[in-house]
Amino acid sequence: MQLTEIRIAGFGGQGVILSAIVLGRAASIHQGAYATMTQNFGPEARGGACSAQLILSPTAVLYPYVSRPDVMMVMSQEAYGKFAAELKDGGTLIIEQDLVRVSELKGNIKVYSCPATRIAEELGKRMVLNSVMVGFFTAVTQLLEADAVRKAVSDSVPANFREVNLKAFERGFEYGLTASATYPPQKEVETQLAYSQE
Amino acid sequence: MQLTEIRIAGFGGQGVILSAIVLGRAASIHQGAYATMTQNFGPEARGGACSAQLILSPTAVLYPYVSRPDVMMVMSQEAYGKFAAELKDGGTLIIEQDLVRVSELKGNIKVYSCPATRIAEELGKRMVLNSVMVGFFTAVTQLLEADAVRKAVSDSVPANFREVNLKAFERGFEYGLTASATYPPQKEVETQLAYSQE
């Protein structure tokens, strides 16, 4: 692992902060690395975009301020509009497929999208959306060991929702493994082919 | 309220992070101001000092990194040793009376101490130490409205521990009002008198 700056954003109630806590705990408690998490208070009262900044590092983090994220995970269109431009050239953008439409993205950005809301609904609990996204994140970024994140999910959710959150993690993780193996997505490949035939 | 940088530190399990969340919520959700909180992950696994950085502000916080805290609340000797030197000249130091011994403190620092562990034990729940400290902080700093912090305590603790945490808040708050009214503490006044008679 090298020092990695991450922003996770969405709207209040989606588990943005919990996602950051899970990933921070996975890195630090279960994998021997270091992490800091910064959260803003207030958006849940004001209706704005909710966001968390997370830094994962092999050494102690002296400066917890994220300026140009290497990875951004976005779960609402408003958050996309507010934060996407911060993403580092060469960075990774992870989106909830049905909630975010990507536009005006500059630079060489890898985009991975996951239908986490639909997967969570299939599991019967829309609120586990964030655990699906955490599983997807784990598979596509390969920053953290899957077992470390599993343990952190297990530690971080209420006992009566542990099982469904772990299922959600697995579903997101598997979806992410497939997305990584088939990157870039078929649609973009088709677009490139169409261009090359012009 | 003006922009105020705060560090809260202690050891894992004392509620350091929860204290910061309560004060951040009080400022933002219940008082219309803004707040950011940064936490380090890992000390709870490594046995080191646990710390949270909190910024309270009348306007959105663009830069969440605390460098020279205006206020520091410390609940362990190790955390005191690690962080006390950061405190701004003219700042406020709040300590748990039985867990922290103040030494080598430079600059013009106001020190307030609260026997929060003993008060929490009188209430029958040692774990509400942090709510006693939050009440004490509210009284001595006067940064936040007491009612805003009461609501944030109520929102932030599990329902079955709400009552004892609110009692802990009140006991800390009352202790803090007395400490403010009688500042500097009698012992220091005696020391000054002793000096002036030399």
Side-chain angles (χ1 to χ4, degrees):
Chain A
M1 185 195 292
Q2 57 186 19
L3 190 143
T4 306
E5 299 187 0
I6 301 162
R7 186 184 284 280
I8 303 176
F11 49 79
Q14 281 184 318
V16 165
I17 307 296
L18 182 57
S19 298
I21 289 175
V22 165
L23 296 170
R25 285 186 175 164
S28 62
I29 300 174
H30 300 295
Q31 208 176 311
Y34 292 77
T36 65
M37 190 276 285
T38 299
Q39 67 174 98
N40 298 305
F41 294 93
E44 61 273 43
R46 294 188 186 88
C50 178
S51 127
Q53 302 175 29
L54 179 69
I55 297 180
L56 308 182
S57 170
T59 53
V61 180
L62 300 176
Y63 184 76
Y65 180 49
V66 169
S67 54
R68 300 286 285 176
D70 304 282
V71 181
M72 190 175 295
M73 184 158 88
V74 183
M75 300 187 260
S76 80
Q77 195 62 39
E78 183 185 0
Y80 178 82
K82 185 166 179 187
F83 297 115
E86 287 178 1
L87 194 52
K88 195 180 282 180
D89 192 19
T92 299
L93 175 66
I94 296 169
I95 57 170
E96 204 294 330
Q97 193 168 291
D98 297 326
L99 299 176
V100 180
R101 177 177 291 265
V102 171
S103 60
E104 298 178 34
L105 199 58
K106 285 169 197 160
N108 177 29
I109 306 290
K110 276 195 171 180
V111 182
Y112 293 95
S113 84
C114 177
T117 306
R118 275 186 278 159
I119 292 173
E121 283 171 351
E122 280 171 29
L123 292 169
K125 275 260 172 280
R126 202 188 168 101
M127 60 174 267
V128 299
L129 155 77
N130 62 312
S131 291
V132 180
M133 291 300 286
V134 163
F136 186 73
F137 175 103
T138 305
V140 302
T141 65
Q142 296 182 35
L143 283 167
L144 294 164
E145 294 159 16
D147 258 0
V149 187
R150 271 186 200 100
K151 283 179 197 157
V153 169
S154 184
D155 294 350
S156 306
V157 300
N160 46 335
F161 294 113
R162 188 166 291 147
E163 197 184 328
V164 68
N165 276 285
L166 286 170
K167 272 187 197 161
F169 172 85
E170 295 306 333
R171 289 289 305 276
F173 184 70
E174 284 159 25
Y175 198 91
L177 289 180
T178 306
S180 288
T182 58
Y183 193 88
Q186 199 53 33
K187 205 166 67 182
E188 293 191 22
V189 174
E190 281 169 8
T191 311
Q192 284 166 9
L193 287 174
Y195 270 97
S196 66
Q197 291 167 347
E198 272 175 9
Chain B
M1 186 195 292
Q2 58 188 18
L3 189 142
T4 306
E5 299 187 0
I6 300 163
R7 187 184 284 279
I8 303 176
F11 50 78
Q14 281 185 317
V16 165
I17 307 296
L18 182 58
S19 298
I21 289 176
V22 165
L23 295 170
R25 286 187 175 163
S28 61
I29 301 175
H30 300 294
Q31 208 175 311
Y34 292 78
T36 65
M37 189 275 285
T38 299
Q39 66 174 98
N40 297 306
F41 294 92
E44 63 274 44
R46 294 188 186 86
C50 177
S51 128
Q53 302 176 29
L54 180 69
I55 298 180
L56 308 181
S57 169
T59 54
V61 180
L62 300 177
Y63 185 76
Y65 181 49
V66 168
S67 54
R68 301 285 286 173
D70 303 284
V71 181
M72 190 175 294
M73 183 157 90
V74 183
M75 299 187 260
S76 80
Q77 195 64 37
E78 182 185 0
Y80 179 81
K82 185 166 179 187
F83 297 115
E86 289 179 359
L87 194 53
K88 196 178 280 180
D89 191 21
T92 299
L93 175 66
I94 297 170
I95 57 170
E96 204 293 332
Q97 192 168 291
D98 298 324
L99 299 177
V100 181
R101 177 177 291 265
V102 172
S103 59
E104 298 178 33
L105 199 59
K106 284 169 195 160
N108 178 30
I109 307 290
K110 277 194 171 181
V111 182
Y112 293 95
S113 84
C114 176
T117 306
R118 273 186 278 161
I119 292 173
E121 283 170 351
E122 281 172 28
L123 292 169
K125 275 259 171 277
R126 202 189 168 101
M127 59 173 270
V128 299
L129 154 79
N130 63 312
S131 291
V132 179
M133 291 300 287
V134 163
F136 187 73
F137 175 103
T138 305
V140 302
T141 64
Q142 296 183 34
L143 282 167
L144 294 164
E145 293 159 16
D147 258 359
V149 187
R150 270 186 202 100
K151 282 180 199 159
V153 169
S154 184
D155 294 349
S156 305
V157 300
N160 46 336
F161 294 113
R162 189 166 291 147
E163 197 183 328
V164 67
N165 275 285
L166 287 170
K167 271 188 196 161
F169 173 86
E170 294 306 332
R171 290 289 304 278
F173 185 70
E174 285 160 22
Y175 198 92
L177 290 180
T178 306
S180 288
T182 59
Y183 193 88
Q186 199 56 32
K187 206 166 67 181
E188 292 191 24
V189 175
E190 281 169 7
T191 311
Q192 284 166 8
L193 287 172
Y195 270 97
S196 65
Q197 289 167 351
E198 271 175 9

